[in-house]
């Protein structure tokens, strides 16, 4: 006989496995300099600030919505 599950897993067992499958939303914070919503621990793409200092010069096109 080929390797094959002998029995179907119960719906309860399936659901218990999936109890840990929930996704968590990305950690979004407001930029301390311009207030834009950005991912935590990243340089702000809007104003180029990180940790209270300017890291790069942002592109001229400001805040396209
Ligand atoms: Zn910013």
């Amino acid at each position: 006989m080929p390797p094959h599950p002998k029995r179907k897993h119960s719906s309860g067992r399936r659901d218990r496995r999936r109890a840990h499958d929930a996704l968590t939303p990305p950690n979004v914070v407001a930029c301390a300099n311009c207030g834009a919503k950005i991912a935590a621990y990243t340089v702000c793409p809007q104003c180029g600030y990180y940790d209270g200092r300017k890291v790069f010069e942002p592109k001229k096109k400001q805040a396209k919505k």
Side-chain angles (χ1 to χ4, degrees):
M1 278 207 327
H4 199 76
K6 192 169 189 176
R7 299 209 191 289
K8 177 180 181 175
H9 284 179
S10 69
S11 59
R13 182 172 171 156
R14 178 203 64 201
D15 293 347
R16 258 177 282 139
R17 180 178 68 239
R18 292 180 185 174
H20 301 278
D21 288 355
L23 295 170
T24 57
N27 193 12
V28 178
V29 297
C31 172
N33 185 56
C34 70
K37 294 262 196 296
I38 57 170
Y41 309 109
T42 59
V43 177
C44 177
Q46 301 291 324
C47 64
Y49 269 70
Y50 184 81
D51 201 23
R53 67 189 176 88
K54 201 163 208 172
V55 177
F56 74 97
E57 197 67 39
K59 291 274 166 66
K60 289 295 175 191
K61 288 178 182 173
Q62 279 289 325
K64 55 175 181 178
K65 263 192 178 176

